[in-house]
Amino acid sequence: MLETTKIGRRARALAIAATLALAGSVRAGGVELGGELSFRVQSYRPRVDSEFSGGTGPYTLVFGSGKALGVRADYAATLSGLFGTAGLGAGIGYIGMEGKGLYQEASGGEWKISGDTTALRLFPASLFVLYRMDGLATRAGIPVAPYARVSLERYLWIVSGTNHASKTGATNGYGLTLGVALLLDVLDPDLARQLSEETGVRHTCLTVDVSKARVNDFGSSRSWDLSTAEWAVSAGLTVTF
Amino acid sequence: MPVRHLRLRSLLATALAALPLTAGANSLTLDDDDQTISIDECENRGSQSIDMSWDLSSSSGSSIEILSSNASGCSSDDTTAVLVSDLSTSQASYPASGDSTITLSDVLTAAGKTIDSCSGSDFYVYVCVRLLDSSGTTVTTSTASIRFQLTRPPPPTGLSVGVGENALYVTFTTGTTTTAAPAASKTYRAFASAGGSTFQSGETTSKSDVRISGLENGTTYDVWVVAYSEAGNASQTSEKSAGTPQQVYDFFELYKQQGGVESGGCSHGDASSLTALLATAWVMRRIGARRRGRRAGGSARTNGRNATTAPVISRE
């Protein structure tokens, strides 16, 4: 029992030390415990059609060859240090695609577009770790902070159609995001200070990033592929407090 | 900036000053469906009642009477007759309990309108409520108009019929008004008929993808559309088109039909993904507990256990 407790303590100490090392040096200037909220608009196109070889796949037939737009909101608990901010968080989003159902011509079997609507709605939930290199912005006044986020993803999905029962499911995966944050408070430090004093918002950032997600139940042969077909681009706003 | 404030203040003061006058003005209001009369309602004018309410509270008098006229204001120079007299000034609507009904026929007769058939050009008649003093002199009169719309809209044109599952979708354009059909089209209804049964869509203002449901897949239906004017006068039927409802595949059905492996429900991966998600949630919960502990008293001890030495953490 004693041994187990010791191991637990060591593991915990190691985890904290690693997080602090990532965020910066405690001795060099201390760390700040905080949180941040992010809102993003994201482009998305799933790789559902990769399952089908030859011809046009069902996703393209119904929803076309374009990309859908979705929104995501994340919250992360953060540790900010000399070089940057490390965080652990969770998020949820919504991406909706609407198209027309298809019917088969009696003569020839050609697929035709019907008047009935059908939709694929995704609610991507994620748990993630992030690191943002904002030390340059806070200490050298350079208002740009590159960041990275590694996430576990669970996409809840609903397919619906006119006069059809909805089909629901969930598909798991993981993702990587690389982006750049533009720290707005560096552009107007007085306003940022006032905002911090009055609302507790320490920093406000505009963000632009690209994401690659592998969402196919980790390669399961019984799952469809909701991975991003290409790098998904997103832009948004992050506030830290 | 101060100039703008002054202007805004001045505007606000003007608006507030005008408010009591607007709120206190005398008025007469007819029920919505009594304001515009269709050909059908005109033809059944003997059974079409007129309901109204008024507010004459900004004036004082002894009694109220209801009149109908061919001119707004119901003055004695116009063709005007009293429909109801000696109403109490406390009454604010008609008919109230115990009142007899005023019909469209009564209104037309009082206004001197003798229409043999409900066709021809549109026209107006007017209904008034008049407040009288004890000597029978008019104190104030409020007027409302009734529009008899006796013209029809043109039939819709350019029908195209789309396929749905047990349904058809109709898209069309508004017909061009003519001297024979000068009324503006306001709403539309699509119809489908086969084997002696006729189905119809709901009445809609939309001109695209108007849905007729309840049909049988594989049966060919004659389809047409009718336009309606503001009063509800129906146009001639449009030219007919044909359509056959079919089985429609929604996205998931199409995916499965093409051989897709997904079957819905929970994910199909091994337990590692779920374990990883739960582990991350647990770590977050621990961090939250530590933060709460520090806020409460600076100690990270929870559940009676000794915590490891916490790092020095500052917070702005």
Side-chain angles (χ1 to χ4, degrees):
Chain A
M1 189 63 161
L2 188 64
E3 196 60 27
T4 311
T5 311
K6 273 184 185 170
I7 290 169
R9 279 181 190 167
R10 275 179 198 157
R12 194 158 39 182
L14 271 174
I16 291 167
T19 309
L20 293 178
L22 196 63
S25 163
V26 180
R27 245 177 296 167
V31 294
E32 292 168 350
L33 197 57
E36 64 180 49
L37 267 174
S38 300
F39 302 96
R40 291 176 286 144
V41 177
Q42 182 187 33
S43 72
Y44 174 75
R45 179 175 172 79
R47 294 185 72 241
V48 172
D49 287 349
S50 64
E51 209 179 310
F52 307 92
S53 55
T56 309
Y59 182 88
T60 304
L61 278 172
V62 173
F63 301 115
S65 54
K67 289 179 181 173
L69 276 182
V71 290
R72 296 187 77 150
D74 300 318
Y75 171 78
T78 58
L79 282 171
S80 299
L82 180 62
F83 302 117
T85 299
L88 194 59
I92 187 77
Y94 170 76
I95 306 167
M97 289 135 270
E98 278 203 4
K100 296 288 188 185
L102 302 183
Y103 68 96
Q104 240 169 339
E105 279 269 342
S107 54
E110 189 187 349
W111 287 106
K112 294 273 200 179
I113 296 169
S114 78
D116 289 349
T117 56
T118 181
L120 168 62
R121 301 183 200 285
L122 300 174
F123 299 89
S126 63
L127 294 170
F128 59 86
V129 291
L130 69 85
Y131 180 71
R132 186 174 56 247
M133 213 162 66
D134 48 17
L136 281 177
T138 52
R139 284 165 177 79
I142 300 168
V144 174
Y147 63 89
R149 185 168 48 229
V150 178
S151 59
L152 287 167
E153 305 277 344
R154 182 171 175 83
Y155 284 16
L156 308 169
W157 50 264
I158 302 172
V159 179
S160 60
T162 306
N163 266 7
H164 286 72
S166 295
K167 192 78 182 173
T168 59
T171 309
N172 292 331
Y174 56 92
L176 169 69
T177 299
L178 301 170
V180 178
L182 174 67
L183 275 77
L184 300 177
D185 43 349
V186 177
L187 302 178
D188 190 343
D190 291 337
L191 184 65
R193 203 172 300 117
Q194 192 182 344
L195 190 68
S196 176
E197 286 165 4
E198 290 176 3
T199 66
V201 171
R202 292 192 302 191
H203 305 294
T204 309
C205 317
L206 286 178
T207 60
V208 179
D209 59 47
V210 290
S211 301
K212 192 86 176 166
R214 294 278 291 168
V215 184
N216 56 3
D217 281 334
F218 301 94
S220 166
S221 59
R222 291 182 295 134
S223 172
W224 62 4
D225 194 349
L226 297 179
S227 305
T228 48
E230 299 152 15
W231 285 90
V233 181
S234 72
L237 185 74
T238 297
V239 289
T240 70
F241 42 87
Chain B
M1 189 63 93
V3 174
R4 188 187 283 176
H5 280 162
L6 277 175
R7 277 184 191 156
L8 281 172
R9 228 176 271 171
S10 164
L11 276 172
L12 194 62
T14 310
L16 286 172
L19 198 60
L21 292 175
T22 310
N26 293 329
S27 63
L28 168 64
T29 308
L30 300 178
D31 277 9
D32 284 348
D33 55 356
D34 292 338
Q35 292 173 17
T36 307
I37 303 301
S38 67
I39 296 169
D40 286 346
E41 288 167 329
C42 177
E43 286 172 347
N44 296 301
R45 54 189 177 274
S47 59
Q48 295 289 320
S49 68
I50 301 292
D51 300 332
M52 66 192 83
S53 58
W54 58 81
D55 178 5
L56 303 175
S57 59
S58 62
S59 304
S60 58
S62 298
S63 64
I64 291 171
E65 61 185 20
I66 301 172
L67 309 90
S68 178
S69 174
N70 69 340
S72 178
C74 302
S75 77
S76 55
D77 297 335
D78 308 315
T79 304
T80 302
V82 175
L83 296 168
V84 180
S85 59
D86 290 329
L87 292 175
S88 162
T89 52
S90 62
Q91 188 162 341
S93 64
Y94 195 92
S97 175
D99 290 336
S100 57
T101 305
I102 298 175
T103 66
L104 270 183
S105 272
D106 300 333
V107 170
L108 285 166
T109 305
K113 294 285 183 185
T114 52
I115 51 174
D116 296 328
S117 65
C118 292
S119 62
S121 301
D122 300 352
F123 66 88
Y124 287 86
V125 294
Y126 299 87
V127 174
C128 306
V129 284
R130 182 179 285 170
L131 182 65
L132 304 171
D133 63 14
S134 55
S135 63
T137 306
T138 301
V139 176
T140 186
T141 303
S142 286
T143 308
S145 63
I146 300 176
R147 180 188 180 199
F148 282 72
Q149 188 181 47
L150 305 180
T151 52
R152 295 178 184 275
T157 57
L159 256 67
S160 70
V161 180
V163 170
E165 185 158 311
N166 299 116
L168 289 171
Y169 293 86
V170 190
T171 298
F172 51 88
T173 55
T174 304
T176 307
T177 54
T178 62
T179 49
S185 302
K186 188 182 180 190
T187 58
Y188 308 89
R189 196 187 291 274
F191 296 84
S193 178
S197 298
T198 301
F199 301 83
Q200 63 183 43
S201 71
E203 198 167 327
T204 174
T205 55
S206 173
K207 286 175 279 187
S208 63
D209 285 344
V210 177
R211 188 167 189 266
I212 314 168
S213 58
L215 311 182
E216 198 170 316
N217 288 345
T219 300
T220 300
Y221 291 82
D222 283 334
V223 177
W224 67 92
V225 181
V226 171
Y228 299 91
S229 69
E230 184 186 356
N233 296 334
S235 70
Q236 299 282 318
T237 58
S238 68
E239 287 183 0
K240 287 183 177 168
S241 189
T244 308
Q246 306 275 356
Q247 181 191 359
V248 173
Y249 291 77
D250 69 16
F251 170 57
F252 197 79
E253 288 174 335
L254 184 68
Y255 168 84
K256 294 299 285 183
Q257 195 273 347
Q258 300 215 331
V261 294
E262 176 67 55
S263 55
C266 289
S267 56
H268 310 294
D270 57 34
S272 62
S273 57
L274 186 62
T275 307
L277 284 168
L278 290 173
T280 313
W282 180 83
V283 170
M284 284 191 70
R285 190 163 170 267
R286 294 292 300 163
I287 288 174
R290 291 177 69 84
R291 287 182 65 187
R292 282 193 296 277
R294 279 195 193 92
R295 279 182 190 153
S299 170
R301 290 182 178 86
T302 54
N303 299 331
R305 288 178 294 174
N306 291 329
T308 53
T309 307
V312 178
I313 296 173
S314 65
R315 185 175 169 82
E316 282 180 355

